[in-house]
C-alpha cells in the first residue's frame, strides 16, 4: 500500500496524487539487488556526498527536523529514482533546484521521486529533501535525559536522513546540527566551527549549531549522530590526527582506558597499515542504566556502551580498516569485517602475552568438536537474517588462526596489510579475500576455504589442525 507525501506546493498536488512517473520512464529500480535486503538502495545512481542538516530540542524528544541534500551521479537515464527514508513527513523535494514532479512513499522505506526533467546517464545532480516528525526505526536510541543517539547495523541511516542505504554506495558526509544551549552534538569525522544561528532570547538562552565533516567515503550504517550534555576530551595522535572523545553524563570516564586508545591504534596500524581516517576518538553514550546502544564501529568515532574497555576498543577500532575503510560488497560478506575484527582481539591478547594456540584455538575447538550446531552456519553467505550471525564472531577467529598456520606468519600478516591497502575507501567481497589469500601465500586454498568459510560442519582435520597445531592437538 502506498502512503502519499504531501508536496510543499499546491501545483504538485495533482502530480503526487496521480502516482509515479509513466511506466516508460527510466528507473534505477527500488533496490540494488542485495540477496538479503533486495529493496535497499537504488542501482540508478551513485552518491558522492550527503549534506545533512538537523535540528533537535530535548524539550520535544519525539521530534526531529531535517534538511538533507544528496549529491549523486546518474548511472542510467532516470525518469524517477528511489531514496531510502523511514517515517517522517516530507514537506518538499527538489532536484537540481526544481520541485519534483511527484513524490510517493512505497513500502517501509522507499521515497520514490520523479524529477521535473529526466536525468541523463552521467549527469551530476542534487536532491534536497525537507522533512520532520518522530524518528522511527531500529537506529533511534532516546536517552533518559532527553538526548538521543542514532546508529545501528544493518540499518540506521534511514532513521534520520534519506540515503542510498547499501554498503556498496559510499559517500563523504557533512553534518550540521542545531540544538539548544547546554547541549552538544557529536558526529563522524572532524569537528567544524560551532556558531549561533539566531539571537539569544530574553532569558539568556539560545541555540548552537555544530558541524562535523567526514572527508573519506562512508557507508551509511557507519554514520552516526548523538545529542547530549557531553563531556568532551580532545587530543592528538603522534602524527597530529585529532582525537575527540565524548562522554554522556552517566558514562564511565577512565583516563587510563582513554590513554590506551592511542596504544591500540598503534598496535592495529602495525598489523593492518596506517590508520585510514583524518580523525579518531569515541562517543560513550550509556551509563550504568544501560540506556544506550551497543558498541558499534561508527566511522572514525566508534560508539561504546557504558565506557571504554580495551577488548571493545580493539574490535571497533579494527573495523576502521575492516568494515569502514574497506566495506563489504553486500550483506553476505559480513565475515570480511566481523571475523577479522574479532581476530584482532585475539591478536591483542597475544600482544599481552597469551598463548593463542593452546588457550584460545585448541580450547575452543575441543569445546565444540562434538557440537554440530556450532559449525552449522557458513561464515560466507550465512543467510537472510543471519548476516551478523554469532558464527562470525565465534568461528571467524578460529578460521583466521588456522589460515595463519596454513600459510605461515609472513604471508598471513602480508594478507592482513594488503587488503586495506588494495581496497582503501572502497568495497570488496569475501570471495575476493579468499583470492587475495591465495595470491599472497602462493598456495591453493580452495579446500581450506570450502571447509572453513562455506562448510556447515566441522572442517576435516587437515584444515582444522594445520602445521603447528597438529602436534598440540595430539598432545
Amino acid at each position: 500500500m502506498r502512503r502519499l507525501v504531501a508536496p510543499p506546493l499546491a501545483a504538485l498536488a495533482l502530480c503526487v496524487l496521480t502516482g509515479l512517473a509513466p511506466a516508460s520512464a527510466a528507473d534505477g529500480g527500488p533496490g540494488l539487488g542485495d540477496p538479503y535486503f533486495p529493496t535497499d538502495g537504488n542501482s540508478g545512481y551513485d552518491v558522492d556526498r550527503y549534506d545533512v542538516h538537523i535540528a533537535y530540542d530535548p524539550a520535544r524528544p519525539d521530534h526531529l527536523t531535517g534538511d538533507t541534500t544528496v549529491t549523486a551521479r546518474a548511472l542510467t537515464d532516470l525518469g524517477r529514482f528511489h531514496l531510502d527514508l523511514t517515517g517522517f513527513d516530507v514537506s518538499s523535494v527538489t532536484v537540481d533546484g526544481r520541485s519534483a514532479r511527484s513524490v510517493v512513499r512505497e513500502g517501509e522505506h522507499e521515497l520514490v521521486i520523479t524529477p521535473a526533467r529526466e536525468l541523463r546517464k552521467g549527469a551530476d545532480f542534487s536532491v534536497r529533501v525537507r522533512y520532520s516528525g518522530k524518528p522511527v526505526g531500529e537506529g533511534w536510541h532516546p536517552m533518559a535525559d532527553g538526548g538521543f543517539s542514532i546508529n545501528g547495523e544493518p540499518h540506521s541511516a534511514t532513521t534520520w536522513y534519506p540515503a542510498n542505504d547499501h554498503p556498496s554506495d559510499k559517500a563523504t558526509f557533512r553534518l550540521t546540527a542545531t540544538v539548544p544551549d547546554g547541549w552538544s552534538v557529536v558526529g563522524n569525522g572532524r569537528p567544524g566551527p560551532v556558531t549561533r544561528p539566531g539571537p539569544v532570547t530574553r532569558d539568556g538562552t539560545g541555540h548552537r549549531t555544530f558541524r562535523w565533516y567526514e572527508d573519506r567515503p562512508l557507508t551509511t550504517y557507519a554514520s552516526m549522530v548523538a545529542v547530549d550534555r557531553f563531556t568532551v576530551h580532545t587530543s592528538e595522535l603522534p602524527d597530529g590526527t585529532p582525537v575527540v572523545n565524548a562522554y554522556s553524563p552517566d558514562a564511565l570516564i577512565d583516563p587510563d582506558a582513554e590513554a590506551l586508545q592511542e596504544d591500540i591504534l598503534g598496535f592495529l596500524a602495525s598489523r593492518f597499515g596506517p590508520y585510514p581516517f583524518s580523525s579518531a576518538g569515541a562517543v560513550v553514550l550509556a551509563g550504568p542504566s544501560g540506556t544506550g546502544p551497543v558498541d558499534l564501529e561508527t566511522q572514525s568515532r566508534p560508539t561504546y556502551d557504558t565506557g571504554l574497555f580495551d577488548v571493545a576498543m580493539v574490535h571497533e577500532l579494527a573495523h576502521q580498516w575492516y568494515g569502514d575503510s574497506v566495506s563489504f560488497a553486500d550483506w553476505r560478506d559480513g565475515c570480511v569485517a566481523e571475523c577479522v575484527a574479532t581476530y584482532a582481539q585475539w591478536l591483542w591478547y597475544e600482544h599481552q602475552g597469551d598463548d593463542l594456540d593452546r588457550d584460545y584455538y585448541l580450547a575452543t575447538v575441543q569445546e565444540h568438536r562434538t557440537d554440530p550446531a556450532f559449525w552449522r552456519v557458513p561464515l560466507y553467505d550465512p543467510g537472510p537474517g543471519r548476516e551478523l550471525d554469532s558464527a562470525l564472531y565465534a568461528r571467524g577467529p578460529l578460521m583466521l588462526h588456522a589460515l595463519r598456520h596454513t600459510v605461515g606468519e609472513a604471508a598471513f600478516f602480508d594478507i592482513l596489510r594488503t587488503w586495506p591497502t588494495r581496497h582503501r575507501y572502497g568495497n570488496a567481497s569475501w570471495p575476493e579475500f579468499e583470492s587475495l589469500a591465495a595470491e599472497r601465500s602462493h598456495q591453493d586454498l580452495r579446500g581450506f576455504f570450502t571447509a572453513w568459510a562455506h562448510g556447515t560442519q566441522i572442517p576435516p582435520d587437515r584444515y582444522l589442525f594445520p602445521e603447528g597445531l597438529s602436534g598440540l592437538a595430539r598432545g
Side-chain angles (χ1 to χ4, degrees), residues 91-116:
S91 59
S92 72
V93 177
T94 61
V95 181
D96 291 334
R98 294 174 175 264
S99 295
R101 182 183 301 170
S102 71
V103 182
V104 176
R105 300 299 290 263
E106 287 188 334
E108 295 181 356
H109 57 75
E110 298 292 339
L111 186 65
V112 188
I113 299 166
T114 303

Side-chain angles (χ1 to χ4, degrees), residues 64-376:
L64 188 73
T65 299
D67 184 349
T68 291
T69 297
V70 181
T71 303
R73 172 165 292 186
L75 301 179
T76 185
D77 292 342
L78 291 175
R80 67 186 184 190
F81 57 90
H82 300 235
L83 285 168
D84 298 305
L85 181 67
T86 303
F88 293 111
D89 295 316
V90 176
S91 59
S92 72
V93 177
T94 61
V95 181
D96 291 334
R98 294 174 175 264
S99 295
R101 182 183 301 170
S102 71
V103 182
V104 176
R105 300 299 290 263
E106 287 188 334
E108 295 181 356
H109 57 75
E110 298 292 339
L111 186 65
V112 188
I113 299 166
T114 303
R117 294 180 179 177
E118 183 173 301
L119 301 169
R120 295 299 183 184
K121 180 180 179 180
D124 295 325
F125 66 98
S126 63
V127 187
R128 184 178 182 183
V129 182
R130 298 179 184 178
Y131 51 98
S132 62
K134 181 179 180 178
V136 295
E138 59 195 75
W140 171 249
H141 304 285
M143 308 296 280
D145 61 357
F148 72 88
S149 69
I150 304 179
N151 57 81
E153 185 184 6
H155 301 106
S156 59
T158 58
T159 302
W160 62 299
Y161 65 93
N164 198 25
D165 193 26
H166 190 268
S168 64
D169 191 1
K170 303 172 71 169
T172 58
F173 197 88
R174 298 181 180 180
L175 170 63
T176 305
T178 301
V179 293
D181 284 344
W183 296 82
S184 300
V185 183
V186 178
N188 305 91
R190 299 171 70 104
V194 180
T195 59
R196 288 192 175 276
V200 176
T201 61
R202 289 182 179 180
D203 62 1
T205 62
H207 290 79
R208 292 188 298 168
T209 297
F210 292 79
R211 294 169 177 83
W212 294 86
Y213 307 99
E214 178 47 80
D215 55 357
R216 298 300 184 186
L218 171 148
T219 187
T220 48
Y221 78 78
S223 64
M224 61 82 63
V225 62
V227 173
D228 213 332
R229 298 182 183 274
F230 287 111
T231 297
V232 179
H233 296 172
T234 60
S235 60
E236 290 185 351
L237 297 178
D239 64 359
T241 299
V243 178
V244 180
N245 294 308
Y247 300 87
S248 62
D250 293 329
L252 174 65
I253 301 178
D254 182 346
D256 292 336
E258 187 174 298
L260 189 60
Q261 188 178 54
E262 180 181 320
D263 294 339
I264 291 171
L265 283 170
F267 169 74
L268 293 172
S270 73
R271 298 297 188 267
F272 302 151
Y275 178 69
F277 299 118
S278 61
S279 70
V283 55
V284 186
L285 294 172
S289 61
T291 56
V294 298
D295 299 344
L296 187 68
E297 64 270 19
T298 42
Q299 185 163 308
S300 74
R301 188 154 295 103
T303 300
Y304 298 97
D305 176 23
T306 305
L308 296 177
F309 303 97
D310 63 342
V311 175
M313 285 193 287
V314 170
H315 186 100
E316 306 308 338
L317 290 173
H319 274 309
Q320 303 307 301
W321 286 264
Y322 281 83
D324 290 354
S325 176
V326 185
S327 304
F328 36 79
D330 63 47
W331 284 102
R332 294 174 298 179
D333 298 317
C335 188
V336 83
E338 299 302 340
C339 295
V340 179
T342 308
Y343 190 66
Q345 297 173 223
W346 283 34
L347 295 175
W348 179 253
Y349 300 146
E350 184 178 50
H351 181 62
Q352 304 301 309
D354 289 1
D355 183 340
L356 296 187
D357 288 351
R358 187 177 300 278
D359 297 335
Y360 292 85
Y361 184 87
L362 291 174
T364 305
V365 168
Q366 295 299 342
E367 179 184 357
H368 296 286
R369 197 164 188 180
T370 59
D371 177 12
F374 182 78
W375 309 94
R376 187 170 296 150

